[in-house]
Amino acid sequence: MAAVTLDSRKITQRAAFTLLGLAMVITTIPVLFIIIYTILKGGGAVTWEFLTQFPSQAGRAGGILPAIIGTFYLMLGTLIFALPVGVMAGIYLTEYARNNWLTRLINLAIANLAGVPSIIFGLFGLSVFVLAFNFGLSLLAASLTLACQALAMVITTSREAILAVPREYREGSLAIGVTKWQTVRHIVLPQAFPGIITGVVLAISRAAGETAPILVVGAAFLLPHLPQSPFDQFMALPYHLYTVAVHVPNMPKEIVWGVALVLLVVVLSFDMLAAAIRIKTRQRKYL
Amino acid sequence: MSINLNVPDISARPVEKCVTKLKTEQVSLFYGSFQALRNITLDIPSRCITAIIGPSGCGKSSLLRLFNRMNDLIPGAKVEGNVELDGIPIYDARIDVADLRKRVGMVFQKPNPFPMSVFENVAYGPRRHGIKNRGQLEEIVEKSLRQAALWDEVKDNLGQSGLALSGGQQQRLCIARVLAVEPEVILMDEPCSALDPVATLKIEDLMRNLSQTYTIIIVTHNMQQAARVSDMTAFLMIEPDRAGVLVEYGPTAQIFTNPKDRRTEDYITGRFG
Amino acid sequence: MCHWLNRSNKEGLATLQEQVTAATVPTTGLRRRLRLGERFIEVWIFLSGLLAIVVLLGIIAILLKEGLPIFAHTPPWKFLFGAKWYPISDPPTFGIAPFVVSTLMVTLVSTVIAVPIGVACAAYLSEVAHRKLAETVKPIIEILAGFPSVMMGFIGLALLSPLVQSAFNLNTGLCGLTAAIMLSLMSLPIIVSVSEDALHVVPKEFKEASYALGATKWETIWHVCIPSALSGIAAAIMLGIGRAIGETMTVLMVAGGALAVPVSPTDPMTTMTAAIASGIGNAVRGGLQYQALFAVGLILFILTLAVNIIAERVLERQKRKFAR
Ligand SMILES: Nc1ncnc2c1ncn2[C@@H]1O[C@H](COP(=O)(O)OP(=O)(O)O)[C@@H](O)[C@H]1O
Ligand SMILES: [Mg+2]
């Protein structure tokens, strides 16, 4: 013990802390690097025409309008299918479920659903929505598939947000003869709304970036028109990025980076929206 | 299996002073396997204030919550025996709990206004019970706030948040919220325990006024308060197995001046003197 | 089950009597109202609650239904350990050992890279860094979790693979190692945040006791904090592994796509996820290759399920450890 002087221990500490700090830098730098590099490389390609025109020459020229529109349709579809049932499931778990085997089973299912690889949701969607329900390789089938994937996240965030509503509010409402559902509808949900929205926006942003499931349930590489109905095929940003990056020979590099930049902006802006809602409502609480 | 064919109806009965409003017969309450109340039998008179007193943990709140079935919300809570409102057995499977609670409203220990404006707080109940007309709602809100002796303090700013009021005002807002649905019985669970003496006196005044029209049951650990405001007093105690029992029940004057039971006397003199 | 269903069952008996009395007693009393709209919504709520179970069971059912038939053609052990994947030869052979080995190799390498960095980063953020720095860095790491996997694949393709190629003097930079590095980056956020939570709940008394004995801050972190948080860190690692096993686009784009059993991480390879993604589009529906790919999905599902269940168990234990 005596051999280990304070000095050498201090040096060890300094060295160790440097390593830990380095780990933090290694984790952080790539994020900033990827964002900045993508902006620098892709910024030049992202013009008004790029955003508003159809692709030509297999994506080597023209714009990516159908991919952008397709991705927004997918987000909308995911929202429509995942939001109502996800929030309702959150309500069930917090307001109605008793502490029994069924509730434990539901919670187990949610936890495990969250860990299922996205490609497997693709297989599920292909088999169920595309083939069994006969929706074909369509916007509808893809939205339903992404909604299944988003379900776990919507349920968990709704559950947390609803749980955070104080019990006293519920009691105050029930104690004057308001029914349980009305209490949920008029007291609990408005209070939980910001938290639910935060989770839903995050889930939708995830869905916007998903590629593997829509690759399986049939995103189109090139379409000369926008989808006219939910049963139409569609293009999507992440899938477009995949094809132009991997499958199209002699692709102008700048365009690929441009697609990447647009995708990144769409996804990150929704993430930031979620963060903004979270911060805003947190402030309100302290008021 | 006996099914009572004659579920009596409330509206058919005349309501006079000192008719029995609420009644319990041999009521026991269990939280899971723990018995919180044993064999409680008492008649609560109409348009009077009945105080429930007793040491902490003896089941006062539990008893109070029996009258509007708030215990239903607690998983594992089980009621035995009979509780009647105007002769209607309220634990009958055919009873509509929401309608029951509309007639038997409740005010809690900690003021719990909703995070909405004062107006919306009071209008909340009537709205849920189907009143949509704005003029009618305004009328109800004003009437209820006046009854709750809060109107003069908030009439200039009905849009302010209910949470922005002082503690005493919040509690009166909660009372107004209950009054707005025109209940017959108001249950109050230590409504003043979170308030300062001035606010407490205000609420006590208010209770006396309200008892002209409403049947009020108040839980309190404050003996003076029971003596000041109530017409009837029920004294609960804890048995060795921690179940609450009714030791004595009668007119407040008699309970406080001439208790029949030794334990009542001990409790009252120990705390009252 | 749920109580309103129960309640209405109990009432079933009373219904007939109720109809009898309804005629004789005025209806303004306390008798139960139908509230049909609410009943309807409550049924909807209940069904929504069940949906997670339905989807999970649906996934299992589909994988079994579409995947199991392949074992009539190729016995399970031959399927798992066969080294030849020739789905369109005549006759076809379905051996998925190349995919299984690739998945394990890529996952292992990415874990080996991500865990030390992730845990060190968590330790720095929770024990060393100033609060301000930590509050700035955490959202940045959260952004990383939000990057679409196709984006990471593209970055790996465009930027990392040339570096790996020249550093290891390879024929191609599209190989398991490149994929593993990208995957490690992608599993960092979850490893950092779960490890940080684990470090956060280490009781203050533990640390103070260590300081009282004259230990330096680093010695306290190394000998007290990290050992106490070990099960939480283990859970973080499992979650990171789960993420890496299931990741598709990144490996599809940068792992090289070779169909032989890889020998070294620097070989081009195809993981299970990539095999499904690249094969399913061309597979005849209901055909042998289609079945084989669903069977790969089944194995992948079992693998991730096992990893997640272990992670959850470990996390439970960690929670109980310091719960008082
Ligand atoms: N929700 C509950 N679950 C289990 N036990 C409870 C619950 N509420 C109260 N109790 C128990 O019932 C007894 C009476 O409680 P309570 O009615 O709150 O008493 P008081 O209001 O007189 O203080 C106490 O022993 C208490 O621990
Ligand atoms: Mg109490």
Side-chain angles (χ1 to χ4, degrees):
Chain A
M1 272 313 276
V4 186
T5 64
L6 191 59
D7 264 353
S8 82
R9 288 169 66 199
K10 274 220 161 126
I11 292 169
T12 312
Q13 164 151 319
R14 184 160 300 171
F17 282 3
T18 309
L19 281 179
L20 297 189
L22 196 65
M24 188 198 72
V25 172
I26 292 175
T27 314
T28 322
I29 291 300
V31 186
L32 302 175
F33 175 78
I34 290 172
I35 293 174
I36 293 168
Y37 196 84
T38 309
I39 292 172
L40 291 179
K41 289 281 253 185
V46 183
T47 58
W48 181 245
E49 286 71 35
F50 188 67
L51 297 175
T52 55
Q53 284 180 358
F54 281 79
S56 57
Q57 300 172 35
R60 291 186 197 90
I64 54 168
L65 177 71
I68 297 175
I69 300 285
T71 285
F72 276 107
Y73 280 158
L74 280 179
M75 293 166 87
L76 190 68
T78 308
L79 184 74
I80 289 171
F81 292 121
L83 179 72
V85 287
V87 174
M88 286 300 188
I91 292 173
Y92 175 72
L93 289 171
T94 50
E95 308 292 320
Y96 290 93
R98 305 197 149 180
N99 187 12
N100 57 16
W101 63 270
L102 180 66
T103 308
R104 278 192 289 278
L105 197 64
I106 293 174
N107 283 320
L108 191 72
I110 294 168
N112 286 306
L113 210 51
V116 172
S118 58
I119 186 78
I120 289 189
F121 281 101
L123 291 180
F124 176 71
L126 174 65
S127 184
V128 174
F129 303 126
V130 175
L131 299 178
F133 291 2
N134 210 9
F135 293 153
L137 300 173
S138 63
L139 206 47
L140 180 63
S143 300
L144 283 166
T145 306
L146 291 177
C148 286
Q149 195 178 358
L151 191 62
M153 193 167 173
V154 176
I155 295 177
T156 23
T157 47
S158 305
R159 185 178 57 193
E160 299 315 311
I162 294 170
L163 270 180
V165 178
R167 209 194 57 226
E168 288 79 21
Y169 293 161
R170 296 179 174 84
E171 287 189 334
S173 172
L174 293 169
I176 52 176
V178 176
T179 59
K180 189 166 192 166
W181 162 248
Q182 282 187 317
T183 301
V184 170
R185 162 77 185 72
H186 294 281
I187 299 286
V188 177
L189 281 185
Q191 284 298 298
F193 187 73
I196 292 175
I197 283 302
T198 308
V200 168
V201 170
L202 270 181
I204 296 304
S205 142
R206 262 325 112 73
E210 263 319 333
T211 317
I214 60 171
L215 181 142
V216 178
V217 296
F221 168 41
L222 287 171
L223 277 182
H225 56 82
L226 298 177
Q228 301 298 312
S229 88
F231 296 98
D232 279 358
Q233 272 201 287
F234 59 96
M235 287 177 67
L237 276 173
Y239 184 66
H240 193 67
L241 174 59
Y242 166 65
T243 38
V244 293
V246 174
H247 290 305
V248 182
N250 306 322
M251 192 69 205
K253 281 279 169 299
E254 197 184 34
I255 289 192
V256 188
W257 283 101
V259 177
L261 178 59
V262 174
L263 175 65
L264 207 56
V265 167
V266 169
V267 170
L268 292 190
S269 56
F270 275 85
D271 284 354
M272 271 189 267
L273 178 65
I277 297 172
R278 204 168 55 193
I279 290 166
K280 190 125 199 198
T281 49
R282 205 181 284 158
Q283 278 169 349
R284 205 180 60 182
K285 242 181 231 163
Y286 286 118
L287 205 88
Chain B
M1 177 111 286
S2 75
I3 294 166
N4 180 8
L5 271 175
N6 306 312
V7 176
D9 189 83
I10 175 92
S11 60
R13 290 167 171 257
V15 183
E16 337 160 339
K17 179 101 181 162
C18 282
V19 96
T20 296
K21 185 71 184 174
L22 278 159
K23 174 191 186 119
T24 69
E25 280 171 329
Q26 295 291 314
V27 168
S28 294
L29 173 73
F30 299 84
Y31 292 120
S33 58
F34 168 65
Q35 182 163 18
L37 292 173
R38 177 157 43 232
N39 298 346
I40 308 282
T41 301
L42 80 179
D43 283 8
I44 289 172
S46 172
R47 301 191 186 182
C48 290
I49 300 181
T50 301
I52 301 173
I53 61 170
S56 173
C58 68
K60 303 182 295 293
S61 301
S62 303
L63 177 59
L64 194 71
R65 291 160 70 94
L66 275 178
F67 294 124
N68 67 345
R69 292 185 57 172
M70 282 303 267
N71 288 325
D72 286 16
L73 303 177
I74 298 164
K78 197 173 87 229
V79 178
E80 283 173 5
N82 191 24
V83 184
E84 290 180 1
L85 171 69
D86 290 332
I88 305 174
I90 62 171
Y91 281 86
D92 190 294
R94 284 164 287 174
I95 290 298
D96 193 294
V97 182
D99 282 349
L100 169 70
R101 293 189 186 135
K102 189 167 166 247
R103 283 166 56 173
V104 185
M106 186 162 196
V107 175
F108 297 85
Q109 183 166 357
K110 206 175 128 230
N112 60 346
F114 301 132
M116 318 167 174
S117 71
V118 169
F119 183 92
E120 287 303 325
N121 261 283
V122 183
Y124 175 79
R127 269 193 212 280
R128 298 291 85 79
H129 295 129
I131 297 175
K132 302 233 162 61
N133 181 294
R134 179 80 194 179
Q136 212 177 337
L137 283 172
E138 277 168 5
E139 223 168 87
I140 293 173
V141 169
E142 176 171 349
K143 183 169 156 239
S144 309
L145 285 170
R146 278 189 195 282
Q147 273 187 301
L150 188 60
W151 176 250
D152 289 333
E153 291 159 62
V154 297
K155 64 170 184 254
D156 298 324
N157 195 359
L158 289 175
Q160 68 180 315
S161 165
L163 299 172
L165 302 178
S166 74
Q169 289 175 323
Q170 287 192 5
Q171 197 61 299
R172 277 178 282 147
L173 179 61
C174 294
I175 294 174
R177 188 172 70 191
V178 171
L179 294 174
V181 300
E182 303 188 327
E184 295 156 23
V185 182
I186 303 174
L187 309 174
M188 298 185 172
D189 191 351
E190 306 195 20
C192 304
S193 67
L195 307 183
D196 61 70
V198 177
T200 299
L201 285 178
K202 253 191 185 150
I203 301 239
E204 287 178 8
D205 268 354
L206 172 60
M207 280 192 283
R208 291 258 37 124
N209 285 334
L210 292 175
S211 69
Q212 309 290 319
T213 331
Y214 303 94
T215 304
I216 296 177
I217 310 178
I218 175 177
V219 165
T220 176
H221 59 242
N222 179 336
M223 224 71 53
Q224 290 99 322
Q225 184 169 56
R228 274 196 304 266
V229 302
S230 72
D231 304 300
M232 298 289 284
T233 298
F235 172 56
L236 302 189
M237 270 283 291
I238 313 180
E239 296 266 274
D241 66 346
R242 291 181 57 230
V245 292
L246 180 66
V247 173
E248 191 165 352
Y249 177 54
T252 301
Q254 179 242 308
I255 295 274
F256 278 89
T257 54
N258 186 19
K260 293 205 177 82
D261 195 293
R262 193 52 215 271
R263 288 170 292 176
T264 316
E265 190 175 346
D266 286 350
Y267 183 71
I268 286 167
T269 49
R271 296 272 289 270
F272 199 47
Chain C
M1 278 267 270
C2 61
H3 58 289
W4 70 83
L5 294 181
N6 260 341
R7 218 162 49 188
S8 48
N9 282 344
K10 240 190 306 177
E11 275 165 20
L13 255 181
T15 329
L16 194 119
Q17 299 294 351
E18 219 174 326
Q19 282 166 359
V20 175
T21 49
T24 55
V25 177
T27 48
T28 43
L30 275 177
R31 262 162 334 87
R32 176 178 290 278
R33 289 201 247 151
L34 216 47
R35 302 186 199 278
L36 259 185
E38 265 175 48
R39 274 297 161 84
F40 177 77
I41 287 173
E42 287 180 338
V43 169
W44 180 22
I45 288 176
F46 178 61
L47 294 179
S48 302
L50 293 185
L51 197 61
I53 297 181
V54 173
V55 173
L56 192 67
L57 289 183
I59 289 173
I60 295 171
I62 293 296
L63 292 176
L64 289 175
K65 174 177 163 275
E66 306 279 3
L68 282 187
I70 190 64
F71 296 131
H73 175 271
T74 311
W77 48 275
K78 249 186 157 170
F79 185 74
L80 255 180
F81 298 110
K84 294 195 177 96
W85 175 262
Y86 298 139
I88 45 175
S89 318
D90 196 21
T93 43
F94 300 101
I96 65 164
F99 310 146
V100 177
V101 173
S102 300
T103 290
L104 296 180
M105 198 177 267
V106 168
T107 305
L108 182 74
V109 174
S110 91
T111 308
V112 166
I113 299 170
V115 167
I117 297 177
V119 174
C121 176
Y124 190 79
L125 288 176
S126 87
E127 307 294 327
V128 184
H130 289 291
R131 239 195 55 173
K132 258 211 171 122
L133 178 65
E135 295 303 308
T136 320
V137 168
K138 276 189 228 168
I140 297 178
I141 298 177
E142 256 175 62
I143 294 178
L144 185 56
F147 278 167
S149 62
V150 66
M151 182 74 199
M152 298 304 270
F154 173 56
I155 297 290
L157 192 68
L159 301 181
L160 184 64
S161 70
L163 294 183
V164 171
Q165 182 179 10
S166 61
F168 292 87
N169 203 10
L170 304 171
N171 292 327
T172 167
L174 299 180
C175 63
L177 180 64
T178 313
I181 294 173
M182 291 318 287
L183 286 187
S184 67
L185 205 54
M186 296 169 76
S187 47
L188 269 175
I190 188 144
I191 295 180
V192 172
S193 82
V194 178
S195 304
E196 222 208 312
D197 288 347
L199 286 167
H200 195 78
V201 297
V202 173
K204 221 168 51 205
E205 299 90 69
F206 283 25
K207 289 187 233 170
E208 278 162 2
S210 167
Y211 291 136
L213 292 173
T216 62
K217 197 165 188 180
W218 163 246
E219 286 161 348
T220 305
I221 293 172
W222 186 244
H223 293 294
V224 177
C225 296
I226 292 189
S228 317
L230 217 51
S231 47
I233 292 171
I237 295 168
M238 294 310 290
L239 289 171
I241 291 175
R243 175 106 216 245
I245 294 178
E247 184 45 59
T248 306
M249 290 319 289
T250 311
V251 285
L252 179 64
M253 291 167 83
V254 302
L259 291 177
V261 177
V263 182
S264 131
T266 50
D267 289 342
M269 54 183 80
T270 304
T271 64
M272 294 160 77
T273 51
I276 298 172
S278 59
I280 198 75
N282 306 322
V284 179
R285 276 154 205 180
L288 284 174
Q289 190 188 354
Y290 187 82
Q291 293 170 357
L293 290 175
F294 272 82
V296 173
L298 180 62
I299 293 162
L300 182 66
F301 177 81
I302 294 169
L303 213 57
T304 48
L305 199 67
V307 169
N308 283 320
I309 287 174
I310 294 171
E312 223 154 277
R313 283 280 152 84
V314 178
L315 216 52
E316 277 290 285
R317 216 172 57 203
Q318 157 88 5
K319 267 188 206 141
R320 241 178 286 139
K321 195 155 126 195
F322 296 120
R324 260 174 271 174

